[in-house]
Amino acid sequence: VRSLRAAVAERQAEEQTATAALRTEVETLRASVAQARTEARTDPLTGAANRAAFDEALARRCQLATAGGDGFALIMVDVDHFKRVNDDHGHAVGDRVLTALVAFLRPRVRRDDLIARWGGEEFAVVLPGASVRVALKKARAVLRELAGTDWTIDAGPKLRFTVSAGVTAWRAGDEPAAVAARADQALYRAKHAGRNRAERG
């Protein structure tokens, strides 16, 4: 009987050790999957959400608004004269300008707002629950502050850059493409009206 009890106890200890090891492995795999999901939705250069994550968020926001939930505003932002930055300072500095822009935007929007890289030097900010008036005021305040900010690039002279913005809000019946197109058209008008400004769409 003693031998049997000892064998059972040993077997239980082995099973507990194996279970603990399996739990650790499962947690490691879960963490790896979560990290892979995050990386799949993140722009590797700037750390902003990528285009796929933005498209998903915009579609979800439109669905929620259509179902009677809160609406949202959308700000499209584009770096002014970005080609000139690349030509004058090199593409490495251009990349750092994009990274600096995202870092500048983060503390100036709410935690639930989404900053995403739309493409190239163009970014989108989704503001759940915001009206177009609130978003336009926010965009203009950010533009003013950014225009007066000096950026130190290596040991060279300080660099300044500006952005233009197009601002809109969800309207009844809007599909995601319509909201994005309206913000992009407003951005286009801001560019052609002299840059470093925000236009409403």
Side-chain angles (χ1 to χ4, degrees):
V1 171
R2 273 198 215 97
S3 296
L4 185 58
R5 283 177 179 166
V8 169
E10 185 179 347
R11 179 65 178 165
Q12 285 175 337
E14 288 174 357
E15 287 178 352
Q16 286 173 352
T17 301
T19 300
L22 188 59
R23 270 201 208 100
T24 301
E25 189 175 344
V26 167
E27 289 304 318
T28 301
L29 285 171
R30 279 182 181 156
S32 297
V33 168
Q35 183 178 352
R37 281 180 181 158
T38 299
E39 289 174 356
R41 298 169 56 80
T42 303
D43 174 55
L45 174 64
T46 63
N50 62 18
R51 178 63 183 272
F54 167 77
D55 288 344
E56 287 175 18
L58 189 63
R60 187 171 64 253
R61 285 289 158 197
C62 284
Q63 288 172 352
L64 288 171
T66 300
D70 286 340
F72 64 93
L74 175 63
I75 304 174
M76 288 286 196
V77 176
D78 187 85
V79 179
D80 294 329
H81 301 297
F82 187 67
K83 183 178 184 302
R84 188 184 302 167
V85 172
N86 281 331
D87 290 345
D88 292 350
H89 303 281
H91 288 276
V93 171
D95 286 350
R96 289 169 69 178
V97 163
L98 300 181
T99 303
L101 174 58
V102 172
F104 183 85
L105 290 173
R106 282 197 197 285
R108 289 162 180 83
V109 298
R110 300 166 302 177
R111 188 171 62 179
D112 291 338
D113 295 341
L114 176 74
I115 302 171
R117 190 173 183 186
W118 170 262
E121 67 273 19
E122 191 171 348
F123 293 83
V125 184
V126 180
L127 300 91
S131 66
V132 68
R133 183 183 60 80
V134 167
L136 188 60
K137 184 177 178 182
K138 168 69 72 179
R140 286 175 174 162
V142 167
L143 264 60
R144 279 194 304 272
E145 189 179 353
L146 179 63
T149 301
D150 289 318
W151 300 91
T152 302
I153 305 295
D154 298 326
K158 289 183 178 178
L159 174 70
R160 281 192 181 188
F161 66 93
T162 62
V163 298
S164 298
V167 183
T168 194
W170 181 85
R171 299 171 187 169
D174 269 348
E175 293 292 326
V179 184
R182 199 160 56 242
D184 207 39
Q185 288 162 6
L187 171 60
Y188 183 82
R189 289 198 303 276
K191 288 282 189 184
H192 283 264
R195 295 182 171 85
N196 188 28
R197 59 189 297 141
E199 292 289 338
R200 175 176 175 164

